[in-house]
């Protein structure tokens, strides 16, 4: 029996059900939280998280996978409160969300030391709780796969290989990071079926996407609603063409919705969020946009119920199950 760790404990993967593979209920700047805790609005954050959790449940979602890692404000206790209050199954990660910077503590220690930290979260639990991480997250973005990012990728691969959990890598197609990220994981010996290259759906360059798929990895078509990177109609056309080419078993659909960011509680103050909305950067972004708009459009375009079930029920089981 393949299993997966959730904040409520270990589950048979058959219990995952309809799954959103990439959404953020909680995110925050950890340094600001530690030094100026008075600027955080924990009650408001929980309230908004419950609102979105209830909204996705109303669409039949049973599980949300939350890749909020170190430097993005992972908070296992907050996730536990949310799961307890709503009954939603939440899957957490270990890992580091960085495009460039690493704290000196990690900069001056080895890949294997960092892998040990990740393994701790996977085998013992996160932040002193018994809640275990179900996958490892890392990231590469505009600065490319630099030395620090490569170190985190190698540590992620080693922790994944020691424990059997998969890796999710935030990527930036516009900077062409995906192929090098995959190459590092494969060099470390991580099997391709354990690798998910998130945000691949930020491009409609089918040659780029197929060059990743040819390696046998999973891809995240996971930023529906972030028009800033690619508008919805182009995301849909790309997904439909990939379905035509037979890749349903390799793709995930999600939104990378981030509640604190979308509500002016973290990265951007409320007035900047309003400006972003006004310019159309993320007008439709929400945790239910997929169900309200994207899935009906994809179905009109020829996506079958079976393909949808593959992407949102079967693939999460196959990627997460250990
Ligand atoms: Zn994300």
């Amino acid at each position: 029996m393949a299993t997966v760790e959730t904040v409520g404990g270990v589950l048979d993967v058959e219990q995952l059900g309809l799954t959103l593979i990439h959404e953020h209920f909680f995110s925050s700047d950890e340094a600001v939280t530690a030094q100026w805790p008075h600027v955080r609005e924990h009650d408001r954050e929980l309230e908004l998280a419950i609102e979105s959790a209830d909204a996705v449940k109303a669409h039949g979602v049973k599980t949300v996978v939350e890749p909020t890692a170190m430097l993005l404000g992972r908070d296992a206790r907050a996730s536990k409160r949310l799961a307890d209050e709503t009954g939603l199954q939440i899957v957490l990660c270990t890992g580091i969300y960085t495009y460039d910077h690493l704290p000196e503590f990690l900069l001056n220690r080895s890949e294997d030391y960092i892998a040990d930290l990740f393994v701790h979260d996977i085998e013992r639990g996160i932040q002193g709780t018994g809640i275990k991480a179900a996958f490892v997250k890392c990231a590469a973005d505009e600065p490319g796969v630099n030395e620090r990012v490569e170190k985190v990728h190698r540590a992620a691969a080693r922790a994944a290989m020691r424990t059997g959990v998969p890796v999710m890598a935030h990527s930036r197609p516009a900077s062409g990071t995906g192929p090098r990220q995959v190459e590092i994981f494969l060099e470390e010996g991580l099997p391709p079926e354990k690798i998910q290259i998130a945000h691949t759906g930020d491009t409609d360059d089918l040659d780029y996407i197929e060059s990743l798929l040819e390696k046998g990895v999973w891809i995240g078509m996971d930023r529906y609603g972030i028009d800033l990177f690619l508008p919805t109609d182009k995301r849909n056309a790309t997904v439909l063409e990939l379905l035509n080419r037979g890749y349903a078993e390799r793709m995930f659909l999600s939104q990378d919705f981030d509640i604190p960011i979308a509500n002016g509680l973290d990265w951007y103050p409320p007035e900047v969020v309003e400006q972003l909305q006004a310019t159309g950067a993320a007008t439709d972004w929400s945790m239910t946009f997929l169900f309200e708009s994207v899935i009906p459009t994809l179905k009109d375009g020829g996506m079958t119920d079976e393909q949808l079930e593959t992407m949102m029920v079967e693939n999460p089981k196959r990627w997460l199950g250990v």
Side-chain angles (χ1 to χ4, degrees):
M1 177 185 90
T3 61
V4 58
E5 293 288 344
T6 73
V7 303
V10 66
L11 292 183
D12 182 330
V13 289
E14 297 303 325
Q15 292 171 269
L16 285 175
L18 188 64
T19 299
L20 285 168
I21 206 78
H22 195 137
E23 310 293 340
H24 300 272
F25 287 108
F26 299 103
S27 71
S28 57
D29 187 297
E30 293 166 7
V32 171
T33 300
Q35 301 304 329
W36 296 288
H38 68 280
V39 304
R40 288 288 302 282
E41 298 179 41
H42 293 282
D43 292 346
R44 180 77 185 127
E45 288 168 23
L46 182 62
E47 200 177 280
L48 289 165
I50 290 171
E51 234 170 63
S52 276
D54 286 341
V56 296
K57 275 174 58 193
H59 288 282
V61 172
K62 294 276 181 288
T63 305
V64 172
V65 177
E66 169 144 17
T68 301
M70 177 199 173
L71 298 180
L72 206 51
R74 184 181 58 160
D75 184 344
R77 289 177 181 84
S79 298
K80 178 77 166 57
R81 272 197 298 279
L82 178 62
D84 287 347
E85 289 233 8
T86 62
L88 191 68
Q89 297 171 161
I90 300 172
V91 176
L92 296 184
C93 70
T94 185
I96 303 172
Y97 176 78
T98 184
Y99 302 165
D100 196 350
H101 165 83
L102 268 188
E104 296 290 337
F105 183 94
L106 299 177
L107 205 53
N108 299 322
R109 286 171 172 81
S110 69
E111 285 89 345
D112 286 325
Y113 183 93
I114 298 173
D116 286 344
L117 296 176
F118 296 162
V119 169
H120 173 97
D121 287 356
I122 296 161
E123 292 185 341
R124 294 182 172 221
I126 301 166
Q127 296 164 339
T129 71
I131 298 167
K132 292 173 183 166
F135 63 106
V136 190
K137 171 85 180 292
C138 57
D141 204 270
E142 208 163 0
V145 184
N146 55 48
E147 209 181 310
R148 274 88 53 207
V149 161
E150 179 171 340
K151 185 175 188 176
V152 177
H153 278 60
R154 292 195 185 278
R158 290 176 199 182
M161 286 170 62
R162 281 167 54 190
T163 57
V165 305
V167 169
M168 179 195 286
H170 164 116
S171 72
R172 188 173 195 267
S175 303
T177 63
R180 178 61 186 145
Q181 292 174 282
V182 171
E183 193 175 64
I184 292 170
F185 294 140
L186 297 179
E187 274 171 22
E188 290 288 331
L190 187 64
E193 65 269 21
K194 293 287 178 186
I195 302 167
Q196 181 186 157
I197 303 300
H199 313 331
T200 301
D202 280 353
T203 182
D204 57 357
D205 178 345
L206 288 161
D207 292 339
Y208 173 89
I209 295 174
E210 278 197 313
S211 77
L212 294 176
L213 288 165
E214 277 162 14
K215 302 286 184 188
V217 303
W218 304 88
I219 57 170
M221 311 306 276
D222 53 11
R223 274 180 157 175
Y224 268 104
I226 311 187
D227 289 0
L228 177 69
F229 299 127
L230 196 70
T232 300
D233 56 339
K234 290 191 175 175
R235 290 181 191 273
N236 283 337
T238 307
V239 166
L240 287 170
E241 180 51 30
L242 290 168
L243 288 174
N244 279 338
R245 296 185 188 186
Y247 293 119
E249 289 178 9
R250 284 296 162 72
M251 291 194 280
F252 294 103
L253 302 181
S254 212
Q255 297 141 139
D256 196 15
F257 186 59
D258 188 303
I259 297 171
I261 291 177
N263 287 282
L265 293 169
D266 199 66
W267 285 11
Y268 310 110
E271 60 276 18
V272 175
V273 172
E274 269 172 38
Q275 278 167 21
L276 287 171
Q277 294 286 355
T279 57
T283 315
D284 297 320
W285 204 29
S286 80
M287 221 178 270
T288 53
F289 178 53
L290 263 183
F291 304 101
E292 287 153 3
S293 170
V294 173
I295 289 170
T297 308
L298 289 174
K299 282 187 175 174
D300 287 346
M303 177 182 71
T304 65
D305 289 340
E306 194 190 338
Q307 287 171 327
L308 182 62
E309 168 109 359
T310 297
M311 292 188 284
M312 300 198 70
V313 180
E314 295 304 316
N315 292 351
K317 291 196 297 198
R318 289 166 51 218
W319 179 66
L320 281 169
V322 292

